[in-house]
């Protein structure tokens, strides 16, 4: 359901409210879908495709690469993320999924081309945020994001990196060691399945997850 073409994120949310779960939606007939308001011919055609081969491949990839799958109906799916207009239907993660409900979450984000002062400040503040007991979430990009994640881990605390590619893809390449350490102490998170490249349009969409998880944003 998360991978079907012809359905925007908003339409997916509407469908999930009309059906009890994705399995019921999977078995819905074309006639039942046509009765729903706002359904386009492209969306109906996509939903009438019952081929699960690509989905099985993704599940197999996740099992082979030790990648966790979190669906929107799962108990551990972050409740705050459900409050945004278009929460991701599925999240993939590597590492240890934190308790987003019990821990205050502060997202720290900023420019890729930061000054030395900005980089140092992001690192120090994130270290202090983590030391005070909050979870630092960032975007895994060069610059401020990387320093935020590094600062949190310097405090001996976990951090979460929300990526604009698959959690098994290292982008930027220079962050390989940072990502490895993140998986050891926290987790990498993405709505894109394993192997997904870092396409430009992924990153603005990724930002809604960073903000949706957080109690506050720096």
């Amino acid at each position: 359901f998360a991978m079907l073409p012809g359905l925007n994120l908003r339409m997916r949310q509407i469908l999930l409210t009309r059906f009890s779960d994705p399995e019921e939606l999977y078995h819905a007939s074309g006639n039942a879908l046509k009765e729903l308001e706002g359904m386009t011919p492209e969306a109906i055609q996509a939903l009438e495709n019952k081929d699960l081969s690509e989905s099985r491949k993704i599940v197999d990839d996740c099992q082979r690469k030790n990648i966790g799958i979190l669906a929107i109906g799962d108990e551990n799916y972050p409740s705050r993320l459900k409050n945004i207009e278009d929460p991701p239907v599925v999240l993939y993660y590597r590492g240890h999924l934190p308790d987003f409900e019990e821990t205050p979450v502060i997202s720290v984000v900023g420019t890729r081309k930061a000054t030395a002062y900005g980089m140092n400040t992001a690192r120090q503040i994130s270290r202090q945020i983590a030391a005070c007991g909050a979870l630092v979430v960032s975007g895994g990009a060069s610059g401020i994001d990387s320093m935020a994640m590094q600062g949190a881990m310097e405090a001996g605390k976990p951090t979460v990196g929300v990526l604009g590619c698959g959690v098994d893809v290292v982008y930027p390449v220079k962050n390989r060691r940072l990502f490895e350490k993140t998986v050891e102490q926290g987790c990498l998170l993405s709505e894109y399945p394993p192997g997904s490249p870092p396409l430009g349009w992924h990153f603005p969409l990724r930002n809604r997850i960073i903000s949706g998880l957080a109690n506050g944003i720096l």
Side-chain angles (χ1 to χ4, degrees), residues 29-57:
S29 67
N31 288 333
L33 295 169
K34 288 174 185 175
E35 293 176 1
L36 297 177
E37 185 179 350
M39 293 296 293
T40 64
E42 292 79 13
I44 294 171
Q45 183 180 1
L47 289 164
E48 286 180 326
N49 175 15
K50 308 299 182 181
D51 182 13
L52 293 174
S53 57
E54 182 62 25
S55 301
R56 291 194 177 100
K57 180 181 179 299

Side-chain angles (χ1 to χ4, degrees), residues 104 106-108 124-136 218:
I106 302 296
S107 292
V108 182
Q124 286 187 13
I125 292 178
S126 297
R127 185 166 57 234
Q128 292 166 355
I129 290 171
C132 288
L135 175 67
V136 172
L218 171 64

Side-chain angles (χ1 to χ4, degrees), residues 110-133:
T111 181
R112 289 171 170 82
K113 298 179 180 179
T115 62
Y117 174 78
M119 300 266 278
N120 187 51
T121 302
R123 187 172 177 176
Q124 286 187 13
I125 292 178
S126 297
R127 185 166 57 234
Q128 292 166 355
I129 290 171
C132 288

